[in-house]
Amino acid sequence: MRRIVIIGGGIMGSAIAYSLARAGAAADVIVVEPDPTYEFAATPRAVGGVRLQHAIPENVQMSLYGDEVYSAFDQHVTGGKVTFDPAFQRLGYLFLVQGAEALASLEANVRMQQSLGVEVDVLDAAELRRRYPSFSFHGVDAGALSPGDGQIDPNAALMGYRRAAEGLGITYLKDRVVGLDVVGNKVVAARLESGASLPVDIAVNTANCWAADVCAMIGMSVPIEPMRRQQFHFLTQDPVEPFPAMRHLAGLSVRRHAGVYLCGHTNFNEAAGFNWELQHEVFEESLWPQLAEQCTAFETIKPRGGWVGHYDMNRLDGNPVIDWYDKVPNFLLCAGFSGHGLQHAPAVGRAVKEMILDGGFRSIDLSRFSWQRILDGTPIPDDGPKA
Ligand SMILES: Cc1cc2nc3c(=O)[nH]c(=O)nc-3n(C[C@H](O)[C@H](O)[C@H](O)COP(=O)(O)OP(=O)(O)OC[C@H]3O[C@@H](n4cnc5c(N)ncnc54)[C@H](O)[C@@H]3O)c2cc1C
């Protein structure tokens, strides 16, 4: 029996636990998660987009698998006493660009996505105006529309994975890892806040925004930091035709969400770290005028508050590390998803199961998300949508 300790029971830790359980290893696994309500975790604070538009093939492939799982969740994630429905809907994504250089890169990404089977096309501004007449598309030359991209309820997906993992025999321990004991070059125990200690053969770090703190317990320094993402809700007085999740690659994003509209904002220039303040003035003074410029119905809006969450931002390249640590090779880091972890959790769950039980990647080769690139300071070239 191997003692596999998963540190953090959000969607990533739970999808990994579920995949290990499905492969018959449930008795080997303990998930340590301090907060069963997930108050500050990213997963319940996610918007729920499952987009197929990415700039690197591995991210597209992972999203395609996420689409497959989330769109038929009751067939893929089974074993729990109760079932959860993540309410998958195909609402689409539209990424907008301005300028020849941005357009060329959008077109290249779209060709790559099409080669992997994604339904996606580049439309010029006139065609965009014809399809979505409420919008001016001011400052837009073209957009890439993928109408089948999905939207889910993140909390239902998390609970679905967790309850299924538990139903298959996985133990979730309500505790927090506060230290890791290393003997030689191996983690041998996880020390817990309660004072207890767990023996470890393999440690998996899925602590997301707290992943760097867990890495620091074994002297591993990673460029992953919490980055505030603010989400503002609003209603409109005048109706707007249905439209996909729209994102100008230079910044502004807007979509329909649970009966209201939603505008997301990340200030990549602000200091990293946890910051739970929702800045209403950012919406009033900066985002609202930009929204109104795009759509006259957005001039007469009624703000309805919003919420704050944090990305586990990988400062090197906005992509995760899914790899063993060279200096402590029974420690696996799985964090740095930088705003797209929900859609990738099913693929990551399967991939980490393959790393642990099958000796390496079998379904999608994720070796590009290596620890070595962090050591080398070599970012994965990624000019695609970032959130
Ligand atoms: C506002 C917002 C919108 C987003 N929208 C999308 C989207 O549309 N699509 C998408 O794909 N992704 C989206 N994301 C990203 C997505 O939410 C995350 O990538 C994903 O939820 C990460 O899952 P996780 O399990 O790694 O992290 P979390 O859900 O944060 O779970 C990590 C867990 O680790 C636990 N933990 C921390 N420290 C310790 C410790 N020392 N010991 C034990 N446990 C510990 C925490 O309690 C926590 O529950 C969004 C994120 C935000 C913030």
Side-chain angles (χ1 to χ4, degrees):
M1 176 180 168
R2 274 184 290 189
R3 291 155 307 183
I4 303 168
V5 175
I6 298 177
I7 306 166
I11 192 130
M12 217 50 87
S14 295
I16 293 168
Y18 175 75
S19 294
L20 288 167
R22 270 273 154 247
D28 298 356
V29 180
I30 288 188
V31 181
V32 183
E33 169 55 56
D35 179 12
T37 72
Y38 296 100
E39 183 178 2
F40 298 107
T43 306
R45 291 170 183 267
V47 170
V50 181
R51 67 178 156 88
L52 304 174
Q53 292 199 49
H54 290 272
I56 58 175
E58 291 86 343
N59 280 338
V60 179
Q61 290 170 301
M62 285 202 288
S63 286
L64 282 166
Y65 186 63
D67 179 300
E68 190 182 321
V69 170
Y70 288 134
S71 64
F73 200 67
D74 58 344
Q75 291 162 40
H76 288 276
V77 182
T78 56
K81 288 197 184 77
V82 284
T83 51
F84 287 83
D85 176 8
F88 186 94
Q89 288 178 279
R90 296 200 181 278
L91 300 179
Y93 265 84
L94 174 61
F95 286 99
L96 304 167
V97 292
Q98 181 179 33
E101 201 180 317
L103 178 56
S105 116
L106 186 81
E107 287 172 335
N109 288 336
V110 163
R111 283 194 294 276
M112 178 273 290
Q113 293 150 13
Q114 288 169 335
S115 76
L116 293 171
V118 178
E119 182 192 356
V120 53
D121 284 300
V122 176
L123 307 174
D124 64 19
E127 177 60 18
L128 291 172
R129 275 185 216 103
R130 195 186 66 72
R131 292 193 188 203
Y132 308 107
S134 296
F135 290 83
S136 70
F137 294 102
H138 179 78
V140 168
D141 290 329
L145 176 66
S146 43
D149 287 11
Q151 173 81 35
I152 61 165
D153 170 351
N155 199 49
L158 165 58
M159 286 303 151
Y161 265 118
R162 177 169 174 158
R163 297 290 178 244
E166 288 174 319
L168 295 175
I170 298 274
T171 302
Y172 277 68
L173 197 60
K174 184 173 177 302
D175 216 323
R176 182 186 304 277
V177 173
V178 293
L180 293 168
D181 294 334
V182 176
V183 173
N185 67 347
K186 292 232 164 94
V187 181
V188 294
R191 274 178 283 121
L192 307 179
E193 199 171 46
S194 62
S197 178
L198 284 178
V200 171
D201 290 314
I202 291 174
V204 183
N205 179 357
T206 49
N208 191 44
C209 288
W210 301 268
D213 301 336
V214 174
C215 288
M217 294 172 192
I218 55 166
M220 181 186 194
S221 172
V222 296
I224 298 172
E225 302 177 311
M227 193 76 227
R228 176 171 60 169
R229 174 87 175 161
Q230 303 185 63
Q231 302 286 355
F232 299 95
H233 271 146
F234 63 92
L235 294 170
T236 59
Q237 185 177 285
D238 301 322
V240 181
E241 68 277 2
F243 63 92
M246 280 188 200
R247 170 87 195 262
H248 200 300
L249 283 180
L252 189 70
S253 74
V254 63
R255 70 172 82 199
R256 287 167 69 94
H257 181 78
V260 294
Y261 296 96
L262 187 63
C263 179
H265 174 72
T266 303
N267 178 359
F268 287 98
N269 297 318
E270 76 181 11
F274 288 107
N275 180 346
W276 297 99
E277 186 196 354
L278 184 69
Q279 294 173 296
H280 294 280
E281 68 279 11
V282 167
F283 183 74
E284 298 270 333
E285 293 163 18
S286 169
L287 301 175
W288 187 356
Q290 294 178 61
L291 288 165
E293 189 182 33
Q294 290 299 329
C295 175
T296 47
F298 291 161
E299 279 173 12
T300 52
I301 65 175
K302 194 171 173 185
R304 296 299 295 254
W307 77 93
V308 171
H310 292 83
Y311 289 167
D312 55 334
M313 197 69 215
N314 178 353
R315 290 292 189 180
L316 182 71
D317 58 18
N319 282 295
V321 176
I322 306 172
D323 204 355
W324 303 99
Y325 179 35
D326 58 334
K327 292 208 171 76
V328 181
N330 68 335
F331 181 87
L332 200 159
L333 174 60
C334 187
F337 290 87
S338 309
H340 42 84
L342 179 73
Q343 61 204 275
H344 290 161
V348 172
R350 184 177 65 175
V352 171
K353 184 279 285 180
E354 292 167 355
M355 293 170 84
I356 293 175
L357 298 185
D358 308 331
F361 299 120
R362 294 288 180 271
S363 41
I364 305 173
D365 181 1
L366 300 180
S367 50
R368 221 170 172 195
F369 299 123
S370 70
W371 166 241
Q372 189 60 44
R373 85 183 194 281
I374 307 287
L375 291 176
D376 296 343
T378 311
I380 299 171
D382 183 344
D383 60 0
K386 289 292 180 292

